[in-house]
Amino acid sequence: MLKLIQKFLQINRYSEVKNEFKDLFLSHPNYPSLFAITDSFDLLSIENAAIRVPKEQIVDLPSNFLAYFKDELILVEKAKNHVSINTTKKGIQKISYEKFLLDWSGVIVAIEPNNVVARENLKVELNWLKYLVPFILVAGLSFFYNSYSLFSATFLLTTALGLIVSILIVQEKLGFKNGLITNFCNLTTNSSCNSVLSFTENYENRWISFSDLPLLFFGASFISILVQPFN
């Protein structure tokens, strides 16, 4: 059940609080009731509603929600011609709307998507255009003035990709959220970007953090290959 709810939070762009939800939910005196779920959402300031709706109103429901199906809490994602249900016992299944309505109790839990994070992410991603254009111009000038072998071109491409990911990681550390990195950090329900970025095991340096190392490595490699490609 917990993993389904955390997946539900992730879909609605609340990945950063899924571990906090876990602590609240598991320690709730009414765990694992429906009230424990909604009360934990309330404590995290996530707008939510637990209601019973007429089955014919399924078309008006959000694209994803939690529901009771065959007396089991499941995660529902609506599609045009079918419903994807994610259950604890059987995983993800695609079934018709007719079959879903037969065993659905009518009870749902819906939350308001985190549109604030979505707008911030869009702003950050649009700002990338300011960095991408000079990046392309510098690489173009290097190609114009230098001769690149296949190995040099391949190495430059992979280094550029590493540099981009490194910059995104540093942005995430500084609080500028990016959907790509957030999704990568949250590949499993037991991990988050905070746990990745705060990793300090066997590494102590007062000037450079662990998450800065890829930026230094790929940045230096990228500049060196632009200045002097391998022959």
Side-chain angles (χ1 to χ4, degrees):
M1 177 188 291
L2 175 61
K3 290 185 177 180
L4 289 180
I5 303 172
Q6 288 181 314
K7 178 66 174 178
F8 180 49
L9 289 171
Q10 187 172 329
I11 292 172
N12 288 281
R13 298 184 288 273
Y14 290 102
S15 296
E16 294 302 312
V17 300
K18 65 180 185 180
N19 288 331
E20 191 174 351
F21 171 83
K22 175 183 177 180
D23 295 336
L24 291 171
F25 181 54
L26 295 180
S27 61
H28 198 280
N30 296 105
Y31 170 84
S33 67
L34 182 63
F35 175 68
I37 297 173
T38 57
D39 195 38
S40 298
F41 286 159
D42 289 337
L43 292 172
L44 293 171
S45 300
I46 299 174
E47 292 188 34
N48 66 91
I51 55 175
R52 183 184 296 273
V53 298
K55 293 187 177 183
E56 60 270 16
Q57 291 186 4
I58 188 171
V59 294
D60 300 320
L61 295 179
S63 59
N64 60 83
F65 52 88
L66 299 174
Y68 277 97
F69 182 79
K70 295 182 179 180
D71 298 322
E72 179 186 2
L73 186 70
I74 65 170
L75 172 59
V76 180
E77 294 184 74
K78 292 165 49 181
K80 184 176 181 180
N81 299 315
H82 67 271
V83 176
S84 292
I85 61 172
N86 194 336
T87 68
T88 303
K89 298 177 181 178
K90 297 183 179 180
I92 300 175
Q93 297 175 283
K94 292 182 180 180
I95 61 175
S96 66
Y97 275 92
E98 291 78 11
K99 186 176 180 181
F100 173 73
L101 293 175
L102 284 175
D103 295 305
W104 173 42
S105 67
V107 175
I108 71 161
V109 178
I111 61 176
E112 186 72 23
N114 194 350
N115 293 322
V116 173
V117 170
R119 287 194 295 269
E120 290 177 351
N121 288 345
L122 179 61
K123 183 178 179 180
V124 170
E125 287 163 7
L126 288 176
N127 284 338
W128 262 91
L129 291 175
K130 295 187 296 185
Y131 306 104
L132 187 60
V133 173
F135 181 84
I136 294 174
L137 288 175
V138 171
L141 287 173
S142 179
F143 270 96
F144 182 78
Y145 287 105
N146 298 292
S147 59
Y148 277 79
S149 64
L150 178 60
F151 175 78
S152 295
T154 303
F155 186 76
L156 178 65
L157 178 61
T158 54
T159 303
L161 292 175
L163 179 60
I164 291 171
V165 173
S166 302
I167 293 173
L168 292 174
I169 291 173
V170 173
Q171 279 192 329
E172 186 80 21
K173 185 185 73 171
L174 295 175
F176 299 99
K177 305 301 179 184
N178 182 278
L180 177 64
I181 293 299
T182 300
N183 291 335
F184 180 77
C185 292
N186 292 282
L187 286 176
T188 68
T189 56
N190 295 321
S191 65
S192 67
C193 286
N194 288 335
S195 62
V196 175
L197 295 175
S198 60
F199 175 78
T200 57
E201 184 178 350
N202 298 325
Y203 181 81
E204 292 185 6
N205 191 301
R206 60 185 300 181
W207 303 109
I208 302 173
S209 67
F210 183 80
S211 58
D212 294 330
L213 295 179
L215 179 61
L216 292 175
F217 172 77
F218 287 110
S221 299
F222 183 74
I223 292 173
S224 65
I225 194 69
L226 285 179
V227 174
Q228 184 61 57
F230 297 121
N231 294 324

